[in-house]
Amino acid sequence: MRKILSLVMALAMLLGMCSFASADEVVTLEWYVLEGPAPGNQMVWDAINEYMAKEIGVKINFHYINADEYTAKMNPMMMNGTQGIDIVNVNGQLPYVEWAKKGAFVAMDDLLQYAPKTAELVGEDFFNAMRIDGKVYAIPSVKDSVQMYSARFNQTMNDALGLTVPTEINGYKDMVAYLYEAKAARDANPEYAWLSEQGVPVTRCYPDFEKYIQFEKINSLLGTNVNGIAGIAAAAADGSEVFSIYQTAEYAEMCRTLMQMRLDGILYNGDVWYYDSDQFFKPYYVLNDIGSGWVEAGINADDPVQKRWTTAFVPFQDNVAMTSYLHQAANAITVSCKYPEKAMQALELINTDPFVATAIRFGLEGTHWTLNEDGTLNTDGTLNANNDNNFYWYGAQFGAIVYSKVPASKGTAQFMDKLAVANAKAKAGNMGFIFDPSPVQNEVAACSAKIDEFNTNLKFGKHETMEQVDAALAAFSAALDEAGIAKVVAECQRQLDAFLGK
């Protein structure tokens, strides 16, 4: 099947690259993106297409596909040779590396001459993370383009209890002492003591392991440290050593810590408070939550949580630039595209033209928003008054966000400047390293199944006693050993050594 697909795509590429639009011809491109449709889409795209037709001779038929349908709809189309697809959004459901290696996409290195502002915006470091066998096959979205986390605190309640919000956080691990202090202060205060009696926790946050201690996640099984960040003690600090994520002492420590926090009433004893935000976020109920991505740069002022109290955001000290993160939101040109140069010109406008970037996300001025004096968008009294006519915050799947205006409900006029700072301060992992699991695909599949079996109960502290946690950790590690994790680590290490020139 792969040979047939590659031949079909090679032929499509050969034929496609031979097609050129005349100077006065307007070509139509088909673009498929993982985003849900909204009532105002057609009105917006009519305006965008009128603009694009004048600027570059392009119109786009835009195909919005819901997240729960993307894989099922796109995989058959891609397997048929990408016919009828010109630009496609690659992400976790349509993996960039997998389809690039199958020959589904056009190499962009030469085509980037038609998108000079995009090339400059993305930059060589991010493009290096997109290289497969030396070639770039997709443009990553410039947004929160590195892994960044922040903690969110109920400042109002912290002040009432005389607590000091932590000012330096390197990971969730650093917040544990504060959470215990917060629980003791809340229980000792007559106004809030009843919360513990009703089982209301101090925080709802059960962190993913990479939020507990930061490192570079290669895939769901493997990781490396990031040079300059205190990560996994037993692995090389410079990021040159691959480790099995779920067999580290730090993972075991996290599971034991979360279990103890649940037993001590810091975390809720069950799932209800974790998932039911309407119940969980009543006034003063919770002291801390945790977020990711843009929270460092934004205010999130329309969040019902923040309307109920003053919120403090504390970003983690370090952000991490990593290859896998950039692969989660990018756009590629398929080999069956008849006009790849035009497709690249379209991506140039989508990524760097303020009108297009803003309209895709928030619609049209005067219809979907008006402009505030500070340059932010106001949707009151417009079709987007309820953020549901053509409103996509923040539309990472479309492309770069940095040329779009920002709704006042989502951030300040300084949002993009702060986002740029957050990206710039990131510490780089092994940018450009892409693990090819095919030599150990059976072992990877077997080990991945063990994650599903053990990790959920461990991560959410669902065991009854600490002895059960320790037994589950031992069983998890043994199951990974039996499934062949050592072979997976060794193969990844071999590939990383070659990448590093060792």
Side-chain angles (χ1 to χ4, degrees):
M1 174 63 76
R2 180 174 292 185
K3 278 187 176 181
I4 294 173
L5 177 63
S6 296
L7 287 172
V8 170
M9 289 180 171
L11 179 59
M13 181 178 179
L14 179 63
L15 294 174
M17 292 297 284
C18 293
S19 297
F20 298 93
S22 62
D24 57 351
E25 181 182 359
V26 175
V27 304
T28 299
L29 303 174
E30 308 292 330
W31 186 14
Y32 288 78
V33 169
L34 189 157
E35 286 287 359
N41 292 157
Q42 191 59 55
M43 177 194 302
V44 171
W45 272 100
D46 286 346
I48 292 174
N49 279 331
E50 181 180 357
Y51 179 81
M52 281 191 164
K54 292 177 181 178
E55 292 290 318
I56 59 172
V58 167
K59 290 186 177 181
I60 293 178
N61 282 336
F62 196 95
H63 302 268
Y64 294 85
I65 302 179
N66 286 316
D68 58 356
E69 301 173 323
Y70 200 74
T71 300
K73 286 189 174 181
M74 293 308 301
N75 275 347
M77 294 179 67
M78 296 290 289
M79 288 302 297
N80 287 334
T82 72
Q83 295 298 319
I85 307 171
D86 295 299
I87 304 172
V88 65
N89 176 222
V90 291
N91 46 63
Q93 294 196 44
L94 194 71
Y96 168 60
V97 176
E98 175 185 338
W99 286 101
K101 284 183 173 291
K102 288 178 179 178
F105 309 136
V106 173
M108 291 182 164
D109 303 75
D110 293 334
L111 288 173
L112 283 169
Q113 65 182 295
Y114 299 101
K117 290 177 66 177
T118 298
E120 182 179 2
L121 175 66
V122 174
E124 192 61 24
D125 287 344
F126 284 173
F127 272 133
N128 282 339
M130 306 303 293
R131 293 191 185 281
I132 298 174
D133 298 328
K135 297 288 187 181
V136 172
Y137 292 93
I139 296 173
S141 298
V142 179
K143 51 182 186 68
D144 57 322
S145 297
V146 300
Q147 177 179 280
M148 59 180 79
Y149 299 124
S150 294
R152 176 173 59 182
F153 295 89
N154 178 342
Q155 184 70 63
T156 303
M157 190 172 182
N158 275 274
D159 291 344
L161 297 176
L163 295 168
T164 301
V165 171
T167 57
E168 183 173 322
I169 300 174
N170 295 293
Y172 186 97
K173 179 180 179 180
D174 293 345
M175 292 159 45
V176 173
Y178 156 81
L179 292 171
Y180 271 92
E181 182 186 358
K183 175 71 161 55
R186 196 184 70 174
D187 290 354
N189 188 298
E191 184 178 352
Y192 304 118
W194 64 273
L195 294 173
S196 289
E197 297 171 5
Q198 292 197 8
V200 179
V202 171
T203 179
R204 73 168 183 166
C205 179
Y206 291 81
D208 294 319
F209 185 36
E210 58 269 28
K211 293 180 183 176
Y212 187 80
I213 291 178
Q214 289 211 81
F215 57 90
E216 179 172 12
K217 199 170 184 180
I218 295 173
N219 63 11
S220 62
L221 295 165
L222 309 174
T224 62
N225 280 326
V226 177
N227 198 20
I229 296 178
I232 305 303
D238 64 359
S240 63
E241 183 178 355
V242 178
F243 55 79
S244 169
I245 290 172
Y246 299 103
Q247 292 179 303
T248 60
E250 288 81 1
Y251 174 73
E253 173 196 304
M254 182 191 78
C255 294
R256 294 187 185 102
T257 298
L258 295 178
M259 174 67 181
Q260 190 62 55
M261 289 170 68
R262 185 181 69 78
L263 293 175
D264 292 339
I266 306 296
L267 288 162
Y268 186 66
N269 185 15
D271 292 334
V272 174
W273 290 105
Y274 184 78
Y275 291 108
D276 190 343
S277 59
D278 183 59
Q279 286 289 323
F280 194 85
F281 286 137
K282 287 183 177 178
Y284 306 115
Y285 274 21
V286 63
L287 279 157
N288 164 259
D289 193 15
I290 198 166
S292 60
W294 56 273
V295 290
E296 176 175 4
I299 288 183
N300 205 23
D302 72 335
D303 190 323
V305 179
Q306 189 159 325
K307 286 182 178 179
R308 292 168 177 165
W309 55 66
T310 300
T311 298
F313 282 123
V314 181
F316 283 19
Q317 288 294 109
D318 296 308
N319 297 334
V320 180
M322 63 179 69
T323 300
S324 60
Y325 196 86
L326 287 173
H327 292 182
Q328 297 308 303
N331 284 290
I333 299 171
T334 71
V335 293
S336 59
C337 178
K338 292 182 179 179
Y339 306 104
E341 297 88 356
K342 288 293 187 182
M344 184 58 75
Q345 288 180 307
L347 288 172
E348 171 83 331
L349 292 185
I350 289 161
N351 280 291
T352 66
D353 185 279
F355 166 72
V356 177
T358 303
I360 289 177
R361 292 169 173 82
F362 309 119
L364 309 174
E365 183 172 10
T367 302
H368 296 93
W369 51 268
T370 57
L371 196 62
N372 293 321
E373 288 186 4
D374 66 355
T376 58
L377 305 185
N378 180 6
T379 60
D380 293 344
T382 72
L383 291 181
N384 265 339
N386 296 318
N387 294 354
D388 58 3
N389 187 268
N390 189 99
F391 192 98
Y392 297 99
W393 177 252
Y394 47 74
Q397 308 299 4
F398 302 132
I401 183 177
V402 296
Y403 280 88
S404 171
K405 295 186 184 302
V406 177
S409 63
K410 295 299 184 181
T412 67
Q414 292 74 44
F415 180 97
M416 297 305 176
D417 293 335
K418 293 181 178 180
L419 194 62
V421 171
N423 282 329
K425 81 171 191 176
K427 291 181 170 65
N430 292 300
M431 294 292 281
F433 174 66
I434 299 171
F435 174 49
D436 177 8
S438 56
V440 286
Q441 58 185 355
N442 292 333
E443 288 81 6
V444 168
C447 290
S448 297
K450 300 306 176 184
I451 298 175
D452 296 336
E453 181 179 347
F454 288 98
N455 183 52
T456 299
N457 286 342
L458 283 166
K459 172 187 169 181
F460 287 103
K462 290 188 175 182
H463 296 284
E464 296 301 320
T465 66
M466 199 61 70
E467 289 74 18
Q468 290 179 0
V469 173
D470 289 338
L473 285 166
F476 190 7
S477 184
L480 288 170
D481 287 338
E482 185 178 353
I485 189 64
K487 188 175 179 181
V488 178
V489 170
E491 175 58 27
C492 187
Q493 187 67 61
R494 182 190 69 78
Q495 294 182 28
L496 180 59
D497 288 345
F499 174 80
L500 296 174
K502 292 189 173 184

